[in-house]
Amino acid sequence: MDWLNQKLRVERAIVHQRVDDVKTIYSQKMMSVDSEILAVLKAWKQTTEFSADEDWVFASPTQLGRLPVSYPWVWQVFQEAGVKSGIGKLGTHYLRHTYCSWLDAVGTTIAVRQKLMRHSDVRTTLNIYGDAVTDEMSQANSKIAELALNGL
C-alpha cells in the first residue's frame, strides 16, 4: 500500500491456502484507492495486531497472521449476511458483478471498466460482467417502449 499516493498493488495471491504470484500482469498493476476507502483501511491497520507492511491486510488470527482469513470463512459470513438481509444466499463473486454494474451505471467506459476489473481481455468484461440489468437499462427500455407505443 502506498498510503501517501493513495495507491495499492496486489503482489501476492492465495488459492487453497497456497501463496503464489497473482494471475496476470494486470492483476499486479498499481491502482488508485479512494480516500474514504483508504481511511477505512488505515483505521483497520491501526487496530489489527498484524499491522506490519508485509502482513496481509486481513490476516487470520487463527493462522497467527501468516495467512489471510480463509475464503470459506469469508464466503460463509457473506452467505449469512445475504440471508439475514432477506436477499438470500449470495456468493462473493456477486461483489465483482455489482462493482461492474455500478461502473456501468455511472457511465464508465468499457476500457476503464476492463482496467478497474483487472481483466487482461476486454471480452471478459463484456461477456461475463456485461449482462447485468440496471435501473438505467430499464429506464431506457421504457423510453423505447413509449416511443413504439405512442410514436415520436
Side-chain angles (χ1 to χ4, degrees):
M1 181 71 73
D2 180 348
W3 299 102
L4 294 176
N5 294 309
Q6 296 182 307
K7 302 282 183 190
L8 166 76
R9 180 192 326 269
V10 178
E11 297 178 340
R12 56 189 172 172
I14 185 164
V15 177
H16 302 295
Q17 299 304 90
R18 289 190 53 220
V19 178
D20 204 349
D21 294 331
V22 292
K23 288 194 310 189
T24 69
I25 59 168
Y26 295 95
S27 297
Q28 59 184 278
K29 289 190 174 195
M30 289 291 270
M31 60 186 194
S32 296
V33 180
D34 177 78
S35 59
E36 290 185 47
I37 298 293
L38 193 66
V40 170
L41 290 173
K42 278 183 182 177
W44 170 252
K45 279 301 246 182
Q46 291 169 353
T47 60
T48 182
E49 60 187 301
F50 308 106
S51 59
D53 286 341
E54 64 276 2
D55 286 339
W56 293 92
V57 174
F58 300 105
S60 169
T62 60
Q63 295 292 324
L64 303 175
R66 292 185 301 267
L67 294 172
V69 293
S70 70
Y71 177 76
W73 180 83
V74 172
W75 183 82
Q76 181 181 356
V77 169
F78 196 70
Q79 291 262 304
E80 291 170 2
V83 170
K84 284 181 183 176
S85 70
I87 297 171
K89 291 185 177 180
L90 297 172
T92 54
H93 212 70
Y94 279 99
L95 295 169
R96 289 184 62 78
H97 287 276
T98 301
Y99 180 65
C100 194
S101 294
W102 286 349
L103 288 171
D104 186 33
V106 298
T108 309
T109 65
I110 191 65
V112 172
R113 273 187 273 157
Q114 173 196 356
K115 287 176 178 54
L116 288 172
M117 295 291 295
R118 324 283 279 169
H119 293 147
S120 59
D121 190 325
V122 72
R123 290 176 293 189
T124 302
T125 312
L126 289 169
N127 295 337
I128 296 175
Y129 294 90
D131 61 353
V133 177
T134 64
D135 289 340
E136 290 79 14
M137 291 169 69
S138 296
Q139 291 169 5
N141 194 36
S142 293
K143 288 177 183 178
I144 298 301
E146 184 178 335
L147 286 175
L149 296 172
N150 300 324
L152 298 172

